[in-house]
Amino acid sequence: LRLGTAATTTLGMGAAEMKEIAAILYLVLSNIKPAIIAEGKNQGQASKANYVLDPAVQAQAQARAHALLGRFVLYPELDLDFLLAGIK
C-alpha cells in the first residue's frame, strides 16, 4: 500500500487530516477478516485472496471519508446539483 501526500496537500489538507486518513485506514485494516471458501477442495478454509469487512465498519469508514472529503472539495467550481439534475 503506497500513500502519497501530493493530492492531499494540493487540496489543502494538513497533519490533522493525514491523521484522520491514517485512522480510517487503521479502522478498516484492523477489522478486515479472511473470507471463508464456500466450495471446492479448500471449502471451509480461510481465503488468502478474498476478505470481508463488517458492513457497520465499512459504513463508519465511508462516513468519515465523506466528511473529510466534504471539507476539501476536489473541484469547488463545479455545481454538482446542476450536473446531477441533468442526469435525471
Side-chain angles (χ1 to χ4, degrees):
L1 181 62
R2 180 175 182 259
L3 301 174
T5 59
T8 57
T9 56
T10 298
L11 291 175
M13 294 184 188
E17 290 77 27
M18 291 304 295
K19 287 180 182 180
E20 175 64 2
I21 292 168
I24 294 168
L25 288 169
Y26 179 80
L27 172 68
V28 170
L29 293 175
S30 64
N31 285 286
I32 202 161
K33 306 284 187 247
I36 302 301
I37 299 171
E39 54 187 54
K41 67 177 183 175
N42 295 322
Q43 182 177 1
Q45 295 181 19
S47 174
K48 294 180 183 177
N50 295 316
Y51 293 83
V52 293
L53 181 62
D54 180 291
V57 173
Q58 180 178 350
Q60 181 184 3
Q62 287 176 329
R64 289 172 70 176
H66 283 282
L68 180 62
L69 293 172
R71 296 185 357 241
F72 296 91
V73 180
L74 183 58
Y75 298 109
E77 65 276 1
L78 290 180
D79 182 348
L80 290 179
D81 291 330
F82 173 77
L83 293 173
L84 292 173
I87 295 173
K88 295 178 182 180

